[in-house]
């Protein structure tokens, strides 16, 4: 009798252990298992998966299922191991399922320290990919602006100060803009504030002149708004806005000589002067 009880007890324990392993549960949470272990044959090709490819496949699956954090974790690690995985992310804009061999066999030949670049590039491309797919699905503008925000916010918080973190931050700034001009001039003033904050954070960015150009254009549009009928009409503010637009254009002349930004600034200032409308000479720190 004791032998039967003992045997039954052992059977129960073995069953529990088997279920525990089957579920892949530990104190740290579900065990993440790759689609194929390194060395396994790739279906239909007789090839083998590298560690980077395993991670890439797991990340791609998580991305397609909307599990953005898991997708980012897997694909960042894949890109760190094999830089070619980053190139493949571009192609994911066009097809949901990629060839079985996603990254290639050659390890990435990148200098030491580029692991942060791999993370930033991966997060930025995932954000673009998420938005590209939403656009293809025909989602509305309001929802479209929210697509990929997990990747963008993580990029800005974890990425280095340069590109593409600056591009991610710029996308977040512009996602916060008004959907239409119903709130003029408040909407344009909000946009200008967003651009100013971005420039303070990324003054050395290669995208800084483009942002300055957009600011100058917004100031000129804001000047037009202040010349509309009440309740916003204010000639003084209109002149001040034109003055600020000219100041920004002069900054482009000073900081980017010999460039297309210099030429644009020259033409912009000339157009303001030729329009015949007055503009103020704006002192530093002047506000609306």
């Amino acid at each position: 009798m004791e032998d039967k009880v003992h045997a039954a007890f052992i059977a129960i324990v073995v069953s529990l252990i088997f279920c525990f392993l089957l579920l892949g549960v530990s104190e740290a949470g579900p065990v993440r298992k790759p689609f194929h272990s390194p060395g396994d044959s790739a279906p239909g090709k007789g090839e083998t998966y590298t560690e980077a490819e395993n991670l890439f496949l797991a990340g791609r699956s998580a991305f397609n299922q909307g599990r953005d954090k898991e997708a980012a974790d897997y694909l960042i690690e894949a890109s760190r191991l094999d830089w070619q995985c980053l190139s493949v992310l571009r192609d994911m804009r066009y097809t949901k399922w990629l060839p079985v061999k996603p990254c290639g066999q050659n390890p990435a030949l990148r200098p030491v320290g580029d692991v942060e670049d791999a993370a930033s590039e991966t997060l930025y491309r995932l954000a673009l990919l998420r938005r590209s797919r939403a656009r293809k699905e025909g989602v509305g503008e309001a929802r479209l602006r929210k697509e990929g925000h997990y990747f963008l916010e993580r990029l800005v918080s974890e990425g280095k100060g340069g590109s593409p973190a600056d591009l991610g931050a710029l996308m977040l700034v512009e996602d916060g803009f008004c959907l239409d001009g119903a709130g003029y001039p408040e909407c344009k003033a909000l946009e200008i504030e967003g651009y100013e904050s971005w420039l303070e954070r990324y003054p050395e960015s290669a995208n800084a002149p483009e942002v300055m150009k957009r600011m100058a254009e917004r100031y000129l549009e804001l000047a037009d708004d202040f010349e509309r009928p009440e309740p916003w009409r204010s000639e003084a503010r209109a002149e001040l806005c034109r003055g600020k637009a000219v100041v920004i254009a002069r900054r482009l002349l000073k900081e980017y000589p010999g460039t297309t930004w210099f030429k644009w600034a020259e033409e912009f200032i000339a157009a303001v002067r030729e329009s015949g409308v007055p503009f103020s000479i704006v002192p530093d720190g002047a506000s609306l």
Side-chain angles (χ1 to χ4, degrees):
M1 183 66 178
E2 291 182 1
D3 290 340
K4 290 183 179 180
V5 172
H6 184 67
F9 176 77
I10 292 176
I12 292 172
V13 171
V14 170
S15 297
L16 289 173
I17 292 174
F18 177 77
C19 292
F20 181 81
L21 293 174
L22 185 64
L23 291 172
V25 176
S26 67
E27 293 181 0
V31 174
R32 295 176 175 177
K33 296 183 178 180
F35 280 64
H36 298 271
S37 298
D40 285 352
S41 295
K45 288 198 173 184
E47 297 174 334
T48 57
Y49 284 106
T50 64
E51 183 179 357
E53 289 172 323
N54 274 315
L55 291 165
F56 184 92
L57 290 169
R60 185 184 65 183
S61 177
F63 181 88
N64 287 330
Q65 295 176 38
R67 305 195 312 271
D68 287 352
K69 183 182 184 306
E70 285 185 57
D73 290 343
Y74 280 131
L75 291 167
I76 286 172
E77 189 60 28
S79 298
R80 285 171 172 167
L81 292 172
D82 186 342
W83 197 263
Q84 293 184 63
C85 291
L86 278 174
S87 298
V88 177
L89 284 179
R90 296 174 180 170
D91 299 328
M92 287 178 69
R93 289 177 296 175
Y94 309 109
T95 178
K96 187 171 184 179
W97 299 110
L98 297 177
V100 174
K101 297 295 293 180
C103 298
Q105 291 292 322
N106 298 322
L109 299 177
R110 305 292 296 187
V112 175
D114 266 9
V115 289
E116 292 183 6
D117 291 342
S120 295
E121 288 285 344
T122 300
L123 289 168
Y124 181 63
R125 292 183 185 181
L126 285 173
L128 295 182
L129 176 57
R130 179 68 78 204
R131 194 156 297 195
S132 174
R133 289 192 174 174
R135 185 176 289 109
K136 283 185 176 182
E137 293 170 2
V139 304
E141 181 65 22
R143 178 185 161 189
L144 184 64
R145 290 188 182 188
K146 297 178 182 179
E147 294 292 334
H149 268 208
Y150 170 80
F151 303 116
L152 292 175
E153 290 167 357
R154 182 167 170 180
L155 168 62
V156 172
S157 64
E158 298 180 7
K160 296 189 294 185
S163 187
D166 58 341
L167 287 172
L170 185 57
M171 287 178 67
L172 288 173
V173 167
E174 294 185 332
D175 284 345
F177 290 174
C178 300
L179 288 173
D180 53 48
Y184 71 90
E186 287 90 343
C187 284
K188 293 184 181 69
L190 176 67
E191 293 172 9
I192 290 168
E193 289 177 4
Y195 285 138
E196 286 177 338
S197 298
W198 184 92
L199 279 171
E200 288 176 3
R201 183 168 184 177
Y202 303 101
E204 304 300 322
S205 169
N207 300 294
E210 171 61 29
V211 171
M212 282 188 252
K213 172 181 176 289
R214 295 180 191 181
M215 281 181 63
E217 291 170 336
R218 293 301 194 282
Y219 267 121
L220 205 57
E221 293 169 1
L222 192 55
D224 292 339
D225 287 345
F226 281 129
E227 290 186 331
R228 296 191 183 198
E230 298 293 345
W232 291 289
R233 187 173 183 82
S234 172
E235 290 294 336
R237 287 185 175 183
E239 292 182 17
L240 180 60
C241 287
R242 290 193 196 92
K244 280 182 169 286
V246 170
V247 167
I248 294 170
R250 286 174 177 165
R251 181 179 170 186
L252 284 169
L253 291 176
K254 179 181 178 181
E255 297 182 11
Y256 300 94
T259 67
T260 55
W261 305 112
F262 184 94
K263 180 176 175 55
W264 177 88
E266 278 188 322
E267 295 173 352
F268 181 84
I269 293 172
V272 172
R273 287 175 173 167
E274 290 171 5
S275 68
V277 293
F279 63 90
S280 302
I281 303 302
V282 182
D284 291 340
S287 63
L288 302 180

